[in-house]
Amino acid sequence: VLATGVTTSVRDFVKMAYECVGVELEFSGEGTKEKAVISKTTNSEYAFKVGQEVVGINEKYFRPTEVDLLIGDPTKANTLLDWKPEYTVGDLVKEMMEREIKLERKKQM
């Protein structure tokens, strides 16, 4: 695994994941009171409902020392290996969601 030099917020990551299943989210609140509810869904395959809260914050999962920004530097791989990333964060999220959906469908069978 190599860094790409690109950072993505948890909020954007969550939005991309839900978009993979046809769900748009609306975020409200700040800090530990922030939450996300479904604002629109175009996929009747899943039991999502507009207004349903699907994301919240639980301080139990905070790191002992939280950092404001995490971003890796790919300069050495770019320079020495002529390496360039082939995947975007969006590609990664889509692949992860496709795999999770496949596993969930398998469990239901």
Side-chain angles (χ1 to χ4, degrees), residues 92-107:
L92 178 63
V93 171
K94 184 178 178 186
E95 187 173 307
M96 291 169 66
M97 288 298 291
E98 287 171 351
R99 180 69 179 149
E100 287 300 316
I101 291 165
K102 186 177 179 180
L103 287 172
E104 190 60 34
R105 286 182 178 148
K106 190 175 181 180
K107 276 196 257 177

Side-chain angles (χ1 to χ4, degrees), residues 10 13 16 19 27-28 30 36-37 42 47 50 54 56 64-65 69 82 89 93 95 98 102 109:
V10 173
F13 188 92
M16 286 185 267
E19 286 170 2
F27 288 82
S28 63
E30 292 183 18
V37 298
T42 59
V50 172
V54 291
T65 305
L69 179 67
D82 196 32
V89 173
V93 171
E95 187 173 307
E98 287 171 351
K102 186 177 179 180
M109 293 179 126

Side-chain angles (χ1 to χ4, degrees), residues 7-92:
T7 188
T8 302
S9 69
V10 173
R11 182 185 300 117
D12 287 342
F13 188 92
V14 168
K15 285 169 72 172
M16 286 185 267
Y18 274 92
E19 286 170 2
C20 289
V21 290
V23 173
E24 290 181 26
L25 299 178
E26 182 177 300
F27 288 82
S28 63
E30 292 183 18
T32 59
K33 302 292 185 202
E34 186 173 17
K35 64 180 181 175
V37 298
I38 295 174
S39 61
K40 182 179 177 182
T41 181
T42 59
N43 191 335
S44 60
E45 182 179 353
Y46 307 105
F48 294 120
K49 295 183 176 99
V50 172
Q52 176 183 358
E53 183 178 334
V54 291
V55 178
I57 295 176
N58 187 332
E59 292 183 53
K60 170 175 125 179
Y61 298 107
F62 282 13
R63 294 182 184 131
T65 305
E66 197 60 52
V67 294
D68 291 331
L69 179 67
L70 291 172
I71 187 167
D73 181 1
T75 303
K76 193 171 185 179
N78 292 347
T79 304
L80 296 176
L81 305 173
D82 196 32
W83 177 86
K84 301 284 185 262
E86 295 177 11
Y87 276 75
T88 65
V89 173
D91 294 334
L92 178 63

